[in-house]
Amino acid sequence: MRRLDGGKTTTLARWQQVHDLLDAGVGLLECARRLNLALNTVKRYARVDKPEQMRRAPQYRPTLVDPYREYLRKRRAEEPAVPVLQLLCEIRERGYTGSQNLLYRYITQGRVEDDRPGLSPRRLARLLLARPDNLKPDQHELLAKTTGACPEMSALAALVRAFARLLVPATDNADRLQEWISTAEKVNLPNVHSFIRGLRLDLDAVRAALTSDYHNGGTEGVNTKTKLIKRQMYGRAGFHLLRHRILLG
């Protein structure tokens, strides 16, 4: 497992510490206090059954080598010992304008043979929450491959899309919300179950938001604008100055 800078506790050791305390009957809040960690960090470790699942796939920026990846893969499959200089000459004939060092790093990082480039949870969340019409063809393809990788991902994608349809106010959304909750509870997705518990804390307000055309977006916009003005003046804006800036702005 990856070791943090400065000789700090490794991810594996931290996971073991959290689960040892949990197995001993210690609560999450007490675990956070004993290990000097944030409560959300302890929850993140507690949700994972195996420490290997906490490994993050490396994130690479797009490079000039990317358009030639399939060609490089084919050549290395045909001739595993092909020199990098020869590959460099071949892809330069096909339009490559990058350096030899860039190509060398690309190959040594294993990016030529990697069938599925790393996809961060944040990027996957953006793809799942975006409107399908706003996605590019390559994003559609990536999302389809990712959500089809396992039953849990397929179920998660279906639940997200179903809930997104509820965000358009309609009179029957209250019943559809209850159907969505019943369906989501049958799936083994702890984070979705946590989301459902949050919905139930104020279920009447959630139903109103999904069925009513009225909302407080305008009021929230004014609040955000007021806070922005105060930050622009380093929090020193009194009531009268704020009033003038808002009314005359």
Side-chain angles (χ1 to χ4, degrees):
M1 299 296 289
R2 178 175 60 88
R3 188 172 183 85
L4 302 177
D5 293 338
K8 296 181 180 178
T9 307
T10 63
T11 301
L12 174 60
R14 184 68 72 201
W15 180 91
Q16 192 65 54
Q17 290 173 345
V18 170
H19 280 264
D20 285 346
L21 291 174
L22 293 176
D23 292 341
V26 180
L28 293 173
L29 190 60
E30 180 62 17
C31 285
R33 189 190 67 80
R34 293 189 186 184
L35 299 176
N36 195 26
L37 296 173
L39 179 59
N40 285 338
T41 301
V42 174
K43 289 180 178 179
R44 181 164 57 87
Y45 279 95
R47 285 195 296 263
V48 177
D49 296 330
K50 300 178 181 179
E52 293 79 9
Q53 296 175 356
M54 302 198 68
R55 286 184 175 180
R56 295 184 178 181
Q59 301 299 306
Y60 299 117
R61 294 181 180 179
T63 72
L64 296 173
V65 187
D66 289 337
Y68 310 96
R69 178 170 171 267
E70 292 302 324
Y71 176 81
L72 292 171
R73 178 192 296 187
K74 179 182 176 182
R75 287 288 290 114
R76 284 168 61 85
E78 295 172 347
E79 189 179 348
V82 58
V84 175
L85 282 177
Q86 183 175 335
L87 292 175
L88 177 64
C89 295
E90 292 177 9
I91 62 175
R92 276 184 174 169
E93 292 176 356
R94 288 162 173 78
Y96 175 64
T97 58
S99 66
Q100 177 184 340
N101 286 338
L102 180 59
L103 175 61
Y104 181 79
R105 287 200 306 271
Y106 196 93
I107 293 175
T108 55
Q109 287 171 347
R111 297 174 66 179
V112 175
E113 288 77 16
D114 188 10
D115 290 328
R116 289 187 297 174
L119 181 63
S120 68
R122 181 174 297 180
R123 186 183 176 196
L124 176 58
R126 286 201 301 267
L127 293 177
L128 284 172
L129 297 175
R131 292 180 180 271
D133 296 340
N134 294 338
L135 295 178
K136 300 178 181 178
D138 59 327
Q139 292 175 324
H140 274 294
E141 183 180 356
L142 177 60
L143 184 58
K145 288 182 179 179
T146 305
T147 55
C150 64
E152 289 79 7
M153 283 301 307
S154 300
L156 176 61
L159 288 172
V160 169
R161 289 163 184 157
F163 192 86
R165 289 192 288 271
L166 294 174
L167 299 181
V168 179
T171 55
D172 62 339
N173 273 356
D175 295 333
R176 292 168 58 195
L177 173 64
Q178 190 57 49
E179 294 174 2
W180 184 89
I181 291 176
S182 300
T183 302
E185 287 179 330
K186 298 176 183 177
V187 183
N188 184 23
L189 295 173
N191 290 334
V192 175
H193 296 171
S194 176
F195 176 71
I196 293 173
R197 289 194 294 271
L199 292 179
R200 283 181 167 152
L201 291 176
D202 203 356
L203 197 54
D204 290 338
V206 175
R207 291 196 184 103
L210 298 181
T211 56
S212 175
D213 291 328
Y214 300 98
H215 57 82
N216 63 340
T219 303
E220 294 299 331
V222 173
N223 289 341
T224 301
K225 179 180 179 181
T226 303
K227 292 176 182 178
L228 173 62
I229 293 173
K230 290 194 69 175
R231 285 195 296 269
Q232 287 175 337
M233 294 185 287
Y234 303 98
R236 294 187 177 89
F239 173 77
H240 296 291
L241 181 56
L242 274 175
R243 180 175 183 272
H244 280 290
R245 287 205 57 181
I246 291 173
L247 294 179
L248 300 178

